[in-house]
Amino acid sequence: MIDLRKNFLIYGYGISGKSISKYLKRKKSFYKVYDDFSDLSALKESINLHKLKKNIESFDYFIVSPSIKINKNHILYPFKEKILIDLDFLSLEIKNQIVFGVTGTEGKSTICSYLSQYLSDSFKTLIIGNYGNTILDKDNFEKILSKTKIIIIELSSYQLDKIKFLKINHAIITNIYSDHLQYHGSFSNYVKSKFKIQSFLIKNGSLHISDIERMRYSSLINNQIKN
């Protein structure tokens, strides 16, 4: 579980970086912000590269934008086990909500939308994640969550590659086609990243995938379950 009393570095100040910055500020957590491509000197919480390298051991967690590839040459590579993304912090806020995680190469947003439309007749639903919506930066996000029964999270392979603490009740894989190979290195690694979604299922959680997709990748499914 994430300890909000620890020291955080936000690496990358895009949409997710700004969102988690607002969240940590409200929680009165200590954090610094660094971005490879932006001048953040006007930001009180910013840290330059020289100071980051000098003090990197002082940070307990490193929050990155999901699409950042942490390869062996990256400054954060020695700290891979401490890397988080914004969705990890949702695990601290979820109480009694039912969480659906949706991934796949195509159709993620469509499935999220269909689920929301179907379930919203009976429950208050919320779609977040790669769908384009965030919630942690909302001033009243606790109130929003308290009124929400179903949380639907669209998950990219980038996000699944880095998430550590998020827990979901139902996982859905729409399909898998060749994509993002520059990031993952091979199609096999890309497939494994998609099936990693089942490692975030709660006890007795369910994985939903078509029989065709299940047969295509049955050996990888079994390997992922064993691991």
Side-chain angles (χ1 to χ4, degrees):
M1 186 62 68
I2 303 169
D3 187 346
L4 292 174
R5 297 168 298 180
K6 298 293 186 176
N7 297 335
F8 297 86
L9 174 75
I10 299 173
Y11 193 103
Y13 204 51
I15 294 175
S16 63
K18 292 174 181 177
S19 173
I20 200 65
S21 172
K22 292 180 180 180
Y23 175 82
L24 292 176
K25 185 173 291 187
R26 285 200 307 273
K27 295 294 184 178
K28 295 181 171 55
S29 298
F30 176 85
Y31 70 95
K32 291 291 183 181
V33 182
Y34 173 78
D35 193 288
D36 285 318
F37 307 105
S38 301
D39 179 9
L40 302 178
S41 56
L43 187 69
K44 181 179 68 174
E45 295 84 6
S46 69
I47 185 171
N48 61 42
L49 184 58
H50 173 72
K51 288 185 177 179
L52 173 57
K53 289 181 177 179
K54 184 177 179 180
N55 299 286
I56 197 165
E57 297 280 354
S58 67
F59 293 101
D60 300 289
Y61 299 102
F62 301 88
I63 309 162
V64 304
S65 299
S67 61
I68 293 177
K69 177 67 174 177
I70 310 298
N71 55 35
K72 291 183 178 180
N73 297 320
H74 199 283
I75 187 175
L76 297 185
Y77 185 79
F79 309 96
K80 283 198 305 180
E81 298 306 312
K82 298 181 178 181
I83 288 176
L84 307 172
I85 65 170
D86 56 341
L87 287 174
D88 281 305
F89 292 83
L90 194 61
S91 65
L92 299 175
E93 307 299 335
I94 292 175
K95 306 303 180 187
N96 300 312
Q97 293 87 354
I98 297 172
V99 182
F100 287 79
V102 181
T103 193
T105 306
E106 298 178 353
K108 296 187 294 296
S109 297
T110 301
I111 293 298
C112 287
S113 180
Y114 284 163
L115 273 174
S116 179
Q117 291 178 35
Y118 176 76
L119 294 170
S120 61
D121 287 341
S122 303
F123 307 100
K124 176 68 175 178
T125 66
L126 176 70
I127 306 177
I128 60 173
N130 200 55
Y131 192 83
N133 297 337
T134 183
I135 186 174
L136 293 175
D137 59 350
K138 308 297 184 188
D139 292 332
N140 61 336
F141 80 91
E142 293 96 342
K143 184 177 180 180
I144 295 173
L145 283 178
S146 69
K147 295 181 177 181
T148 300
K149 181 62 178 177
I150 305 289
I151 299 174
I152 303 168
I153 308 176
E154 181 179 329
L155 295 163
S156 70
S157 59
Y158 298 151
Q159 292 167 319
L160 290 170
D161 189 43
K162 296 183 176 70
I163 292 173
K164 288 185 173 63
F165 293 104
L166 181 66
K167 291 299 180 183
I168 59 180
N169 301 82
H170 303 283
I172 299 172
I173 300 177
T174 59
N175 48 55
I176 304 177
Y177 302 109
S178 183
D179 201 7
H180 302 307
L181 300 191
Q182 184 175 359
Y183 177 93
H184 293 286
S186 68
F187 181 60
S188 176
N189 287 340
Y190 174 64
V191 172
K192 289 177 181 177
S193 74
K194 290 299 188 183
F195 278 104
K196 191 180 175 185
I197 193 172
Q198 64 192 341
S199 68
F200 306 118
L201 286 168
I202 64 169
K203 186 178 180 180
N204 299 322
S206 58
L207 171 66
H208 304 271
I209 182 173
S210 72
D211 290 339
I212 294 175
E213 295 294 310
R214 188 182 295 274
M215 290 178 64
R216 287 174 65 194
Y217 305 112
S218 58
S219 62
L220 285 171
I221 296 172
N222 293 333
N223 288 337
Q224 289 291 92
I225 292 174
K226 291 176 183 178
N227 293 332

Coordinates of all heavy atoms in Angstrom, one line a residue, residues 35 44 48 52 54 65 79 90 105 114 130 145 152 170 172 178 184 191 194 207 210:
D35 N 10.5 17.3 -15.4 CA 10.1 17.0 -16.7 C 11.3 17.2 -17.7 O 12.0 18.2 -17.6 CB 8.9 17.9 -17.1 CG 8.2 17.4 -18.4 OD1 8.8 17.5 -19.5 OD2 7.1 16.9 -18.3
K44 N 6.9 25.9 -7.9 CA 7.5 25.8 -6.5 C 8.1 24.4 -6.3 O 9.1 24.2 -5.6 CB 6.5 26.2 -5.5 CG 7.1 26.2 -4.0 CD 6.1 26.6 -3.0 CE 5.0 25.6 -2.9 NZ 4.0 25.9 -1.8
N48 N 15.5 20.5 -10.7 CA 16.2 20.3 -11.9 C 17.0 19.0 -12.0 O 17.1 18.3 -11.0 CB 17.2 21.5 -12.1 CG 18.2 21.6 -11.0 OD1 18.8 20.6 -10.6 ND2 18.5 22.9 -10.6
L52 N 18.1 16.4 -9.0 CA 17.4 15.1 -9.0 C 18.5 14.0 -8.9 O 18.3 13.1 -8.1 CB 16.6 15.0 -10.3 CG 16.0 13.6 -10.5 CD1 15.1 13.2 -9.3 CD2 15.2 13.6 -11.8
K54 N 21.4 14.2 -7.8 CA 22.1 14.2 -6.5 C 21.3 13.7 -5.3 O 21.8 13.1 -4.4 CB 22.5 15.7 -6.2 CG 23.4 15.9 -5.0 CD 23.7 17.4 -4.8 CE 24.6 17.6 -3.5 NZ 24.9 19.0 -3.3
S65 N 4.5 9.3 -16.1 CA 3.5 9.2 -17.2 C 3.6 7.8 -17.7 O 4.7 7.2 -18.0 CB 3.8 10.2 -18.2 OG 3.7 11.5 -17.7
F79 N 15.3 2.1 -9.9 CA 14.2 2.2 -8.9 C 12.9 1.7 -9.5 O 11.8 2.2 -9.1 CB 14.1 3.7 -8.5 CG 15.4 4.3 -8.1 CD1 16.1 5.1 -9.0 CD2 15.8 4.2 -6.8 CE1 17.3 5.6 -8.7 CE2 17.0 4.8 -6.4 CZ 17.8 5.5 -7.4
L90 N -5.6 5.5 -6.8 CA -7.0 5.2 -6.7 C -7.3 4.1 -5.8 O -8.4 4.1 -5.1 CB -7.6 4.9 -8.1 CG -9.1 4.9 -8.3 CD1 -9.7 6.3 -8.1 CD2 -9.5 4.4 -9.7
T105 N -6.5 -4.2 -27.8 CA -6.0 -3.3 -28.9 C -7.0 -2.4 -29.5 O -6.8 -1.2 -29.6 CB -5.4 -4.1 -30.0 OG1 -4.4 -5.1 -29.5 CG2 -4.6 -3.2 -31.0
Y114 N -20.4 1.2 -23.6 CA -21.5 0.2 -23.5 C -21.8 -0.2 -22.1 O -22.9 -0.3 -21.7 CB -21.2 -1.0 -24.4 CG -21.4 -0.8 -25.9 CD1 -20.8 -1.7 -26.8 CD2 -22.0 0.3 -26.4 CE1 -20.9 -1.5 -28.2 CE2 -22.2 0.5 -27.8 CZ -21.6 -0.4 -28.7 OH -21.7 -0.2 -30.0
N130 N -7.5 5.6 -19.4 CA -7.1 5.9 -20.8 C -8.2 6.5 -21.6 O -8.0 7.0 -22.7 CB -6.5 4.7 -21.5 CG -5.6 5.0 -22.7 OD1 -4.7 5.8 -22.6 ND2 -5.9 4.4 -23.8
L145 N -16.7 9.9 -5.7 CA -16.5 8.5 -5.5 C -17.6 7.9 -4.6 O -18.1 6.8 -4.7 CB -15.1 8.2 -4.9 CG -14.0 8.2 -5.9 CD1 -12.6 7.9 -5.2 CD2 -14.2 7.2 -7.0
I152 N -15.4 2.2 -14.1 CA -14.9 1.5 -15.3 C -13.6 2.2 -15.8 O -13.6 3.4 -16.0 CB -16.0 1.6 -16.5 CG1 -17.3 1.0 -16.0 CG2 -15.5 0.9 -17.7 CD1 -18.5 1.3 -16.9
H170 N -13.5 -7.0 -12.1 CA -13.8 -7.7 -13.4 C -12.8 -7.2 -14.4 O -12.7 -5.9 -14.6 CB -15.2 -7.5 -13.9 CG -16.2 -7.9 -12.9 ND1 -16.6 -9.3 -12.7 CD2 -17.0 -7.2 -12.0 CE1 -17.5 -9.4 -11.8 NE2 -17.8 -8.2 -11.4
I172 N -11.6 -7.2 -18.5 CA -12.1 -7.5 -19.8 C -11.0 -7.2 -20.8 O -10.3 -6.2 -20.8 CB -13.3 -6.6 -20.2 CG1 -14.5 -6.9 -19.2 CG2 -13.7 -6.8 -21.6 CD1 -15.6 -5.9 -19.4
S178 N -1.3 -6.7 -33.2 CA 0.1 -6.1 -33.1 C 0.0 -4.6 -33.0 O -0.6 -3.9 -33.8 CB 0.9 -6.4 -34.4 OG 2.2 -6.0 -34.3
H184 N 7.2 -2.1 -26.4 CA 7.2 -3.5 -25.7 C 8.3 -4.4 -26.2 O 8.7 -5.3 -25.5 CB 5.9 -4.2 -25.8 CG 4.8 -3.5 -25.1 ND1 4.6 -3.6 -23.7 CD2 3.7 -2.7 -25.5 CE1 3.6 -2.9 -23.3 NE2 3.0 -2.4 -24.4
V191 N 1.5 -8.9 -25.8 CA 0.4 -9.8 -25.3 C 0.4 -10.0 -23.8 O -0.6 -9.9 -23.1 CB 0.5 -11.2 -26.1 CG1 -0.5 -12.1 -25.5 CG2 0.2 -11.0 -27.6
K194 N -1.0 -7.2 -21.9 CA -2.4 -7.1 -21.8 C -3.0 -8.1 -20.8 O -3.9 -7.8 -20.0 CB -3.0 -7.5 -23.2 CG -2.8 -6.4 -24.3 CD -3.5 -5.1 -23.8 CE -3.4 -4.0 -24.9 NZ -4.0 -2.8 -24.5
L207 N -12.1 -12.8 -15.2 CA -11.5 -12.3 -16.5 C -12.5 -12.7 -17.6 O -12.9 -13.8 -17.7 CB -10.1 -13.0 -16.7 CG -9.5 -12.8 -18.1 CD1 -9.1 -11.3 -18.3 CD2 -8.3 -13.7 -18.3
S210 N -13.0 -13.4 -25.1 CA -13.7 -14.3 -26.1 C -12.9 -15.6 -26.2 O -11.7 -15.7 -25.9 CB -13.8 -13.7 -27.5 OG -12.5 -13.6 -28.1

